[in-house]
Amino acid sequence: MNFFDCVLNFIFPPVCGICLKTSEKYICEQCMEIIKFKSLNNIDTYNNKNFKDHLYIFKYEGIIRQRMLDYKFKEKSYLHRSFSEMILNCKENIEFIKKYDVLIPVPIHKDRMKKRGYNQSELIAKDLVYKIKNIKLHNRVLIKTKNIVAQSSLNKKQREYNIKGVYKIKNAERIVNKKVVLLDDIFTTGSTVNECAKILKEAGCKEVGIVTIAKD
């Protein structure tokens, strides 16, 4: 931990991302046992998507679901460090991410960014590249151009239609012939990450993988 982090921890002590109590770590020892019990660290492989492998850490249920909702909608941006630790807690997860050249968080529209104040996936992505040194973060390559109806309010068919034509690529040279891993918070039908992967592959990237905190 560098000096700046030490000063921040002194002024704003870490909060456990599960029990939300002040802790020496971003997941306290007691709650780490809960995390170990609930974590799946599972990889699904697809042959009919624009991506191949999908790593997810949890099922989208219980305390994990509640904390993800807190993080995304209740201005608890500080929880990004706890979610990062949940990913980094497993050596196999780190090895999965290290297979890729570039990490890209799924973007949100500028209007939603202005309202929320942060992109929940981008904060976690920054933590990961800080700890996993051989992968680059490119958070200005994939851009969301339309502020669409929230995917969570739609069924599978509606989601596929809703997400079409929403993303574009900038600075495509940064991903040409690169292996890209997309980071998102929740995987439900996969419509969002599949559309993002499609756009990335059309721009010339070699392969796309997915990491999400949870799968519904």
Side-chain angles (χ1 to χ4, degrees):
M1 184 181 294
N2 60 38
F3 176 76
F4 181 69
D5 287 336
C6 289
V7 172
L8 278 179
N9 285 349
F10 178 76
I11 300 172
F12 304 105
V15 172
C16 173
I18 299 298
C19 63
L20 301 184
K21 296 177 181 178
T22 302
S23 169
E24 292 182 359
K25 300 178 181 179
Y26 292 101
I27 305 174
C28 70
E29 291 186 10
Q30 184 175 356
C31 289
M32 181 56 78
E33 294 305 312
I34 297 174
I35 293 303
K36 289 178 180 177
F37 177 74
K38 289 185 172 293
S39 60
L40 301 173
N41 303 311
N42 193 57
I43 298 173
D44 288 345
T45 299
Y46 296 84
N47 295 315
N48 60 342
K49 302 283 187 183
N50 292 303
F51 57 90
K52 184 180 178 183
D53 294 327
H54 169 217
L55 166 66
Y56 59 96
I57 315 305
F58 303 101
K59 289 183 179 179
Y60 186 56
E61 61 185 16
I63 189 64
I64 299 299
R65 179 179 182 275
Q66 184 56 58
R67 290 298 172 257
M68 292 184 73
L69 291 172
D70 290 343
Y71 176 47
K72 195 170 181 178
F73 299 115
K74 296 187 178 179
E75 301 181 350
K76 289 183 169 60
S77 62
Y78 59 85
L79 291 177
H80 71 90
R81 290 187 179 271
S82 298
F83 285 118
S84 302
E85 288 300 315
M86 293 173 194
I87 297 173
L88 295 166
N89 184 54
C90 177
K91 185 177 180 180
E92 285 76 15
N93 294 346
I94 297 172
E95 293 303 313
F96 177 87
I97 295 169
K98 286 171 67 175
K99 293 190 305 181
Y100 297 89
D101 305 304
V102 175
L103 176 62
I104 296 180
V106 171
I108 61 177
H109 189 266
K110 60 182 180 180
D111 291 344
R112 192 160 294 177
M113 181 75 167
K114 186 177 180 180
K115 182 177 180 181
R116 186 179 297 164
Y118 56 94
N119 175 351
Q120 70 279 359
S121 297
E122 184 177 349
L123 293 182
I124 296 171
K126 287 179 177 179
D127 290 341
L128 295 182
V129 297
Y130 181 76
K131 295 289 183 70
I132 305 173
K133 301 297 184 182
N134 70 323
I135 189 167
K136 292 183 178 179
L137 172 67
H138 287 323
N139 55 0
R140 297 293 180 268
V141 169
L142 187 63
I143 308 296
K144 192 170 188 178
T145 60
K146 300 177 183 178
N147 194 17
I148 57 174
V149 174
Q151 290 283 85
S152 58
S153 65
L154 305 174
N155 62 36
K156 183 176 180 179
K157 283 293 182 185
Q158 291 171 328
R159 289 179 188 220
E160 291 175 359
Y161 178 79
N162 189 50
I163 206 70
K164 296 264 183 216
V166 167
Y167 299 99
K168 72 175 183 179
I169 297 291
K170 293 180 68 176
N171 306 307
E173 69 278 0
R174 295 180 179 178
I175 59 165
V176 172
N177 293 323
K178 302 290 186 183
K179 295 172 69 176
V180 175
V181 59
L182 279 167
L183 177 71
D184 204 4
D185 50 1
I186 306 162
F187 184 106
T188 302
T189 65
S191 298
T192 297
V193 289
N194 194 50
E195 180 69 11
C196 289
K198 174 176 176 285
I199 299 299
L200 288 166
K201 292 181 79 173
E202 288 175 349
C205 85
K206 182 189 282 188
E207 181 183 327
V208 181
I210 310 297
V211 174
T212 63
I213 302 299
K215 181 178 180 181
D216 198 357

